[in-house]
């Protein structure tokens, strides 16, 4: 029996995927549920498992864009696993390469183009492309008649990388995944289609350090998750969003949509690039609930198990460049959201406290926002509200009852 394997739908609004990599070869025997391919959508990279055991016949190439529901391979479920398949594949490879080598030996050598007044002269279209690239036409070998530089030659021309000074100067090219291309498009779109501004502030993290030092062991023993910074920041953001609802809004054509819930997107670095899973209804979660959800989503993202639904939506984003050592940055808005908070590394710095110089753990924070719907007063007020909550978490985030807030 021949089983036709079709591309499953990764999620709503996704109509096609791209074959990122075949994990098996044509003619291989595969087991049911074995991962046979990785496919890219514009939101995530997913594994495609075999629906049955048998010999596989591939119907799509790496890099092909395939519509959801299209056939990508056939599995002969009645076939038995061939013996000595590895030896046969080696013999086949040798037989295939031999004729290629013979043909290469017989291939005629290119005829040297004669030198004329047209040699090295670029056509008008080619000249325009070379000028845009900053490439000197004298460095381009023309493939046109009598050595004339064609438009194709100009398109393929690579700008000079400077005068070689010795050493390895190789380069590699690799196709961007559909996910990476979509991320690039969204980032450029956010820069071009929003009136994006960034405001900065600094946070004295001393109070949070003291709370974590006092309760993190008991918190971990009781709840099975660590008491990290993300729960404090999420709580502070939720409080600030309730105070400044315009920051929790989006533009839809000529209308502004404001949300009475807080779905917080958190940026997570995964093996396939940046993932932004969503903590749903963060306003209803406790410190334990937030930390558990952050841990769950981060593990799923890093193991490539995150689903499109888990990354869809979100009304506000938190990104933490501090885990990589970033001191300060201007994060790019995650469209269609209107604002994003950037966390950074924590460094001990001298500050003025009650008229004296003290050393404190300081974090710089940045809020990028869409000025079309968020005014300066709201953006600055929002960031100040976040700062106040983080510097006084016992009163503003825990209602002066730390043990109850941490469910100790």
């Amino acid at each position: 029996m021949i089983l036709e394997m079709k591309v499953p739908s990764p999620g709503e609004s996704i109509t096609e995927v791209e074959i990122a990599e075949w994990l098996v070869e044509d003619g291989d025997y595969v087991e049911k549920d074995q991962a046979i391919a990785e496919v890219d959508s514009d939101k995530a990279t997913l594994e495609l498992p075999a629906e049955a055991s048998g010999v596989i016949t591939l119907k799509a190439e790496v890099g092909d864009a395939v519509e959801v529901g299209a056939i990508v391979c056939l599995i002969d479920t009645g076939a038995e696993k061939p013996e000595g398949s590895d030896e046969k594949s080696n013999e086949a490879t040798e037989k295939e390469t031999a004729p290629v080598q013979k043909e290469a030996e017989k291939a005629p050598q290119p005829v040297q183009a004669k030198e004329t007044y047209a040699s090295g002269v670029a056509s008008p279209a080619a000249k325009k492309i070379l000028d845009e690239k900053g490439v000197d036409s004298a460095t381009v070998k023309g493939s046109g008649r009598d050595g004339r530089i064609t438009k194709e030659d100009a398109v393929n021309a690579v700008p000079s990388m400077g005068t070689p000074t010795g050493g390895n100067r190789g380069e590699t090219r690799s196709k961007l995944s559909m996910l990476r291309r979509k991320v690039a498009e969204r980032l450029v779109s956010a820069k071009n289609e929003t009136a994006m501004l960034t405001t900065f502030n600094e946070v004295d993290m001393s109070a949070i350090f003291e709370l974590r030092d006092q309760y993190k062991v008991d918190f971990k023993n009781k709840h099975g998750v660590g008491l990290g910074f993300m729960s404090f920041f999420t709580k502070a953001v939720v409080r600030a969003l309730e105070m400044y609802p315009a920051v929790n809004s989006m533009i839809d054509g000529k209308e502004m949509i404001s949300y009475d819930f807080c779905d917080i997107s958190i940026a997570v670095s995964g093996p396939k690039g940046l993932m932004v899973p969503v903590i749903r209804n963060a306003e209803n979660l406790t410190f334990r609930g937030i930390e558990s959800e952050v841990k769950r989503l981060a593990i799923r993202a890093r193991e490539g198990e995150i689903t499109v639904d888990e990354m869809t939506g979100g009304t506000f984003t938190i990104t933490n460049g501090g885990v990589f050592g970033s001191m300060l940055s201007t994060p790019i808005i995650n469209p269609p959201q209107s604002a994003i908070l950037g966390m950074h590394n924590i460094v001990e710095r001298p500050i003025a406290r009650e008229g004296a110089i003290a050393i404190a753990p300081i974090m710089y924070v940045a809020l990028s926002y869409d000025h079309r719907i968020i005014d300066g007063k709201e953006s600055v007020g929002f960031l100040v509200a976040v700062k106040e909550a983080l510097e006084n978490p016992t009163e503003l985030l825990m209602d002066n009852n730390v043990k109850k807030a941490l469910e100790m």
Side-chain angles (χ1 to χ4, degrees):
M1 177 182 173
I2 302 298
L3 171 67
E4 295 180 340
M5 270 198 59
K6 300 178 180 180
V7 178
S9 174
E12 293 182 7
S13 78
I14 297 177
T15 59
E16 70 173 17
V17 298
E18 185 177 284
I19 305 297
E21 181 181 2
W22 281 110
L23 305 178
V24 296
E25 295 183 1
D26 194 67
D28 281 357
Y29 185 87
V30 298
E31 301 287 350
K32 183 180 180 181
D33 296 328
Q34 174 186 344
I36 59 174
E38 288 185 349
V39 295
D40 282 342
S41 73
D42 59 9
K43 294 183 178 178
T45 298
L46 307 171
E47 285 189 346
L48 188 66
E51 296 177 3
S53 299
V55 174
I56 192 169
T57 302
L58 308 184
K59 292 295 183 181
E61 301 288 338
V62 172
D64 284 356
V66 186
E67 291 185 0
V68 171
I71 298 172
V72 288
C73 66
L74 305 176
I75 298 179
D76 183 356
T77 58
E80 296 183 359
K81 186 174 182 179
E83 297 181 2
S85 57
D86 293 340
E87 295 179 3
K88 289 182 180 179
S89 63
N90 291 336
E91 292 176 1
T93 303
E94 292 175 1
K95 290 179 181 178
E96 288 176 2
T97 55
V100 174
Q101 292 174 350
K102 290 180 180 179
E103 289 179 10
E105 293 172 1
K106 294 179 182 179
Q109 297 298 316
V111 178
Q112 184 71 29
K114 63 180 180 179
E115 295 287 332
T116 70
Y117 71 92
S119 300
V121 176
S123 68
K127 185 176 186 305
K128 181 180 179 182
I129 295 172
L130 292 176
D131 289 344
E132 290 174 350
K133 287 185 171 184
V135 176
D136 186 354
S137 60
T139 64
V140 180
K141 186 174 179 60
S143 62
R145 185 174 180 180
D146 296 335
R148 191 176 184 87
I149 299 173
T150 66
K151 180 180 178 181
E152 184 178 357
D153 296 329
V155 170
N156 295 330
V158 178
S160 171
M161 299 301 291
T163 304
T165 57
N168 181 20
R169 294 177 58 80
E171 64 177 43
T172 59
R173 289 176 181 261
S174 58
K175 186 175 181 180
L176 293 175
S177 68
M178 182 180 286
L179 173 61
R180 176 55 62 185
R181 295 200 303 271
K182 188 63 178 180
V183 168
E185 291 174 6
R186 287 168 62 86
L187 294 177
V188 172
S189 174
K191 293 284 286 186
N192 293 339
E193 298 177 9
T194 64
M196 192 173 78
L197 291 178
T198 305
T199 183
F200 305 92
N201 215 316
E202 63 179 16
V203 178
D204 182 350
M205 300 289 287
S206 299
I208 293 178
F209 269 49
E210 292 172 4
L211 284 172
R212 292 182 71 244
D213 288 343
Q214 185 175 355
Y215 294 102
K216 65 181 180 181
V217 175
D218 292 338
F219 188 90
K220 179 72 176 289
N221 291 338
K222 183 172 183 178
H223 304 305
V225 290
L227 180 60
F229 295 115
M230 189 57 74
S231 55
F232 287 95
F233 272 83
T234 302
K235 283 282 189 180
V237 162
V238 167
R239 173 180 176 271
L241 290 175
E242 292 171 347
M243 295 171 63
Y244 298 92
V247 184
N248 201 37
S249 303
M250 300 180 190
I251 288 182
D252 183 15
K254 296 181 179 180
E255 298 179 330
M256 182 175 79
I257 305 173
S258 297
Y259 301 95
D260 57 5
F261 57 88
C262 301
D263 282 357
I264 307 299
S265 305
I266 54 171
V268 177
S269 179
K272 298 295 182 179
L274 187 68
M275 304 287 181
V276 193
V278 181
I279 302 175
R280 308 287 181 189
N281 288 103
E283 74 278 5
N284 296 330
L285 296 179
T286 61
F287 278 82
R288 180 191 66 177
I290 293 172
E291 292 294 352
S292 298
E293 190 67 358
V294 168
K295 180 180 179 180
R296 183 186 73 85
L297 292 171
I299 291 174
R300 288 179 61 78
R302 286 166 187 153
E303 293 183 354
E305 298 176 351
I306 201 78
T307 65
V308 173
D309 182 65
E310 289 172 312
M311 294 191 293
T312 301
T315 62
F316 184 91
T317 296
I318 301 175
T319 180
N320 185 5
V323 295
F324 304 111
S326 171
M327 180 187 78
L328 197 60
S329 67
T330 55
I332 298 178
I333 296 170
N334 179 21
Q337 297 173 20
S338 298
I340 179 173
L341 178 71
M343 301 166 56
H344 300 91
N345 63 353
I346 302 170
V347 178
E348 288 194 342
R349 306 182 193 279
I351 64 168
R353 181 183 291 165
E354 298 179 358
I357 300 297
I359 302 298
I362 300 296
M363 175 192 287
Y364 294 138
V365 289
L367 177 76
S368 292
Y369 61 98
D370 189 346
H371 206 355
R372 293 178 299 170
I373 60 173
I374 303 173
D375 294 330
K377 177 182 178 181
E378 293 166 322
S379 63
V380 173
F382 174 91
L383 198 56
V384 169
V386 170
K387 169 185 170 70
E388 290 173 344
L390 293 173
E391 292 184 341
N392 191 5
T394 302
E395 179 182 345
L396 300 181
L397 300 181
M398 300 176 172
D399 296 326
N400 290 313
N401 192 333
V402 178
K403 290 191 175 182
K404 180 179 179 181
L406 299 180
E407 302 177 83
M408 303 304 292

